[in-house]
């Protein structure tokens, strides 16, 4: 299968090259040239498959002709063998026809493990086959860094460098990264904020001449196509468990960069009967404003109690826009040019299609904490702050009670004890067993000045031969 850029001005690439490339040279994002489609009969025949078996069915068409079936099966099995729950993505009922899809059973307690465990194993396979070594460089405000490190820690052909803003990530989040002591894992605590980290990574991708001969940077942020692809699977898994394709299912998704919910949109285009797709945002509500008022204006970042959704611009939204504009790359190029000044508005046609596909809702911290309290009072189920936003957005925008509503739980509450405590829980939620000694483990990281030359020198010096 070939992959094309949303801005229409970059060469089409193979699957393997897309995984290694990240952003297209024209500034766009890669999407499949043709989306695989499954018939209702075929989807129905998947009822009862394990998560891993289903993942194979959903992913195989995207990698056809490049990754052999036996290799793909092994990559999938290895990726989900690190999860603590045999169902991989278990469903828990919290109300009438309302379900929580627990996507936090992976090694770092957030849904990002679904994509990054898979991406790590996939990169390992591709790089070994090509006898190639790469450097993974990324910036994190919390969840991405630890999931990427867990995904890459066993990859011989990868050196991974993750920048986090020194003293500005939570203790749990920092320790999940810095207690991984493999020789190919490098944590950099930058004397700056998250934007400084991100700008440094961006600039380094732009000019990679600081790297040792023969090395290139690989991006593992949410624009990497393989991450989106791996996330399509759990929509099918939950849908099948709740009666699809014989009956439709709805999903509510706590949204930041639009990666997770875009995977849901793809599942629908591929044949899964999805009724509602709910975009749930915190006070950083650019997507909610876009859908409800056609106001896609960049605003200052607000620091919320759901920090993994604190974004000003949702980068994967461009992939949806590409479809909304009839896959016309030049329209997207123009739109993104307009947006550089800080604002853009959608055409009537694009907006009305977007509104047919998505509903949206926004919650501030107070409303979010009220939801944690209420759900706990009624079910004794403790939501993390991101998941709480999804649950309330589902309740506020739900059209039909007879269609199951699945709320994606993107993190374990123990990852965000501050929000849970503020919501009135007296005891901090306990870390799962495998992480109970997190605060006793040895940490390793380097504190570096907010100076790109110093950081690049550090990277070049620490890449293994
Ligand atoms: C990354 C993240 C999100 C947002 O996901 P997107 O794919 O960026 O929309 C939501 N919740 C948690 C806990 C996350 O880590």
């Amino acid at each position: 299968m070939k992959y094309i850029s949303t801005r229409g001005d970059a060469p089409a690439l193979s699957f393997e090259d897309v995984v290694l490339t990240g952003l297209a040279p024209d500034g766009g994002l890669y999407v499949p040239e043709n989306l695989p489609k499954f018939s209702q009969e075929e989807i129905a025949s998947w009822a009862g498959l394990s998560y891993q078996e289903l993942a194979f069915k959903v992913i195989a068409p995207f990698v056809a002709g490049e990754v052999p079936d036996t290799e793909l099966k092994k990559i999938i099995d290895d990726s989900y063998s690190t999860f603590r729950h045999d169902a991989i993505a278990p469903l828990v009922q919290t109300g009438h026809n309302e379900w929580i899809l627990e996507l936090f059973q992976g090694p770092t307690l957030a849904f990002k493990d679904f994509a990054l465990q898979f991406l790590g194993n996939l990169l390992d396979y591709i790089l070994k086959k090509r006898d190639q070594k790469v450097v993974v460089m990324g910036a994190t405000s919390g969840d991405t860094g630890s999931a990427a490190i867990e995904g890459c820690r066993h990859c011989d052909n990868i050196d991974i460098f993750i920048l986090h803003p020194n003293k500005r990530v939570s203790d749990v989040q920092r320790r999940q990264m810095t207690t991984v002591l493999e020789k190919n894992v490098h944590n950099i605590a930058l004397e700056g904020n998250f934007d400084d980290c991100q700008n440094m990574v961006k600039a380094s991708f732009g000019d990679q001449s600081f790297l040792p001969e023969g090395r290139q940077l690989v991006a593992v942020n949410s624009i990497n196509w393989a991450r989106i692809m791996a996330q399509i699977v759990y929509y099918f898994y939950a849908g099948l468990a709740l009666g699809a394709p014989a009956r439709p299912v709805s999903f509510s998704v706590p949204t930041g960069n639009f990666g997770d919910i875009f995977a849901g949109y793809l599942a629908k285009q591929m044949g899964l009967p999805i009724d509602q797709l709910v975009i749930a945002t915190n006070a950083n509500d650019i997507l909610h404003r876009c859908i409800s008022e056609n106001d896609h204006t960049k605003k200052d970042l607000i620091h919320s109690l759901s920090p993994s959704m604190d974004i000003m611009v949702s980068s994967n939204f461009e992939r949806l826009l590409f479809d909304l504009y009839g896959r016309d790359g030049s329209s997207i190029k123009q739109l993104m040019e307009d947006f550089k000044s800080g604002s853009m508005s959608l055409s009537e046609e694009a907006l009305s299609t977007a509104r047919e596909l998505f509903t949206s809702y926004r919650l501030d911290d107070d409303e979010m904490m009220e939801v944690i309290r209420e759900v706990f009072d009624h079910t004794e189920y403790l939501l993390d702050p991101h998941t709480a936003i999804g649950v309330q957005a589902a309740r506020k925008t739900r059209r039909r009670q007879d269609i199951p509503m699945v709320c994606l739980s993107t993190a374990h509450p123990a990852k965000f004890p501050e929000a849970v405590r503020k919501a009135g829980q007296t005891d901090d939620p306990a870390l799962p067993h495998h992480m109970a000694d997190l605060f006793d483990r040895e940490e390793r990281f380097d504190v570096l000045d907010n100076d790109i030359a110093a950081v690049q020198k550090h990277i070049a010096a620490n890449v293994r031969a």
Side-chain angles (χ1 to χ4, degrees):
M1 178 175 296
K2 287 278 175 205
Y3 291 79
I4 56 174
S5 164
T6 50
R7 300 199 191 170
D9 208 10
L13 294 184
S14 67
F15 172 74
E16 285 189 9
D17 286 328
V18 159
V19 174
L20 295 175
T21 301
L23 212 61
D26 61 1
L29 306 183
Y30 280 106
V31 290
E33 192 169 27
N34 298 297
L35 200 63
K37 298 231 159 70
F38 304 120
S39 68
Q40 302 299 290
E41 295 72 39
E42 190 170 10
I43 296 171
S45 77
W46 298 342
L49 291 187
S50 70
Y51 190 89
Q52 291 87 334
E53 290 165 336
L54 184 66
F56 176 78
K57 299 280 187 198
V58 173
I59 293 172
F62 288 105
V63 305
E66 293 190 63
V67 184
D69 287 358
T70 47
E71 293 293 343
L72 179 60
K73 280 185 182 154
K74 185 172 171 349
I75 291 168
I76 290 170
D77 285 346
D78 289 348
S79 300
Y80 300 106
S81 68
T82 56
F83 281 53
R84 285 162 293 130
H85 196 298
D86 284 347
I88 311 298
L91 282 163
V92 175
Q93 191 162 10
T94 44
H96 170 67
N97 229 352
E98 180 190 271
W99 306 80
I100 301 286
L101 183 63
E102 292 188 340
L103 300 176
F104 54 69
Q105 304 287 351
T108 72
L109 314 183
F111 86 100
K112 290 185 170 68
D113 289 325
F114 275 86
L116 284 160
Q117 286 291 302
F118 178 81
L119 181 57
N121 287 307
L122 179 67
L123 284 171
D124 200 39
Y125 162 76
I126 295 174
L127 296 170
K128 278 188 177 141
K129 192 178 70 173
R130 297 184 172 199
D131 196 19
Q132 186 183 351
K133 290 184 172 163
V134 301
V135 175
V136 165
M137 185 179 182
T140 190
S141 55
D143 293 343
T144 304
S146 58
I149 287 170
E150 281 295 335
C152 295
R153 66 191 291 183
H154 300 303
C155 301
D156 299 332
N157 294 13
I158 296 177
D159 285 289
I160 178 169
F161 294 82
I162 296 293
L163 281 67
H164 71 263
N166 193 28
K167 300 201 163 77
R168 295 191 199 193
V169 298
S170 78
D171 289 348
V172 174
Q173 288 178 324
R174 187 191 70 249
R175 285 184 157 271
Q176 282 187 324
M177 299 190 280
T178 58
T179 59
V180 178
L181 302 178
E182 269 87 358
K183 284 202 175 63
N184 65 331
V185 172
H186 307 272
N187 281 287
I188 297 172
L190 195 76
E191 297 282 22
N193 59 28
F194 174 61
D195 274 342
D196 297 326
C197 296
Q198 213 166 19
N199 290 337
M200 213 173 268
V201 171
K202 238 186 186 163
S204 301
F205 271 83
D207 178 2
Q208 305 188 10
S209 57
F210 67 97
L211 289 174
E213 187 72 25
R215 299 295 164 95
Q216 70 169 82
L217 291 180
V218 167
V220 293
N221 56 5
S222 76
I223 60 138
N224 190 305
W225 166 256
R227 283 186 60 176
I228 306 273
M229 182 182 77
Q231 292 170 200
I232 300 170
V233 177
Y234 46 71
Y235 288 90
F236 278 94
Y237 188 68
L240 281 158
L242 294 172
R247 65 170 179 169
V249 194
S250 292
F251 292 92
S252 179
V253 187
T255 301
N257 245 328
F258 205 74
D260 202 2
I261 193 161
F262 184 69
Y265 160 79
L266 292 177
K268 179 170 175 157
Q269 306 304 309
M270 291 165 72
L272 184 68
I274 296 181
D275 183 47
Q276 272 182 276
L277 273 171
V278 183
I279 299 171
T281 80
N282 65 21
N284 298 287
D285 60 353
I286 187 164
L287 290 169
H288 172 61
R289 282 184 283 117
C290 181
I291 300 289
S292 57
E293 308 159 40
N294 199 8
D295 169 21
H296 196 268
T297 309
K298 214 184 282 187
K299 286 196 178 164
D300 288 344
L301 192 76
I302 298 168
H303 290 279
S304 77
L305 290 173
S306 45
S308 302
M309 294 156 66
D310 288 347
I311 50 97
M312 289 193 288
V313 177
S314 304
S315 37
N316 281 296
F317 196 54
E318 181 169 339
R319 288 188 157 116
L320 176 72
L321 291 172
F322 185 57
D323 281 1
L324 295 181
Y325 282 81
R327 304 206 123 201
D328 172 28
S330 58
S331 304
I332 301 306
K333 200 172 184 174
Q334 186 57 52
L335 211 55
M336 290 300 147
E337 204 55 48
D338 297 347
F339 186 53
K340 265 197 192 144
S341 63
S343 185
M344 67 180 179
S345 42
L346 308 192
S347 68
E348 279 300 319
E349 202 187 332
L351 185 65
S352 82
T353 311
R355 285 176 174 164
E356 279 163 30
L357 288 163
F358 299 97
T359 33
S360 69
Y361 193 76
R362 164 207 201 269
L363 267 80
D364 61 21
D365 281 345
D366 286 339
E367 202 182 348
M368 178 277 291
M369 288 189 288
E370 184 58 40
V371 181
I372 293 184
R373 278 193 288 273
E374 188 188 306
V375 170
F376 191 80
D377 284 350
H378 289 263
T379 62
E380 293 197 18
Y381 189 82
L382 187 59
L383 299 172
D384 106 288
H386 307 82
T387 308
I389 288 173
V391 168
Q392 185 70 348
R395 291 179 176 182
K396 290 288 188 186
T397 63
R398 192 166 178 179
R399 288 191 294 250
R400 286 177 54 178
Q401 298 297 320
D402 60 326
I403 294 177
M405 173 61 81
V406 180
C407 305
L408 271 53
S409 179
T410 50
H412 189 288
K415 221 171 168 175
F416 300 96
E418 187 199 352
V420 173
R421 222 177 296 132
K422 280 194 176 151
Q425 287 291 320
T426 41
D427 298 324
D428 277 4
L431 283 163
H433 223 62
H434 76 289
M435 230 176 255
D437 67 341
L438 184 67
F439 282 84
D440 305 323
R441 294 183 198 165
E442 179 189 349
E443 283 191 87
R444 202 175 63 206
F445 61 98
D446 294 292
V447 182
L448 296 184
D449 285 340
N450 185 8
D451 167 11
I452 187 160
V455 170
Q456 292 184 340
K457 196 170 154 212
H458 174 85
I459 292 178
N462 283 284
V463 169
R464 296 164 309 156

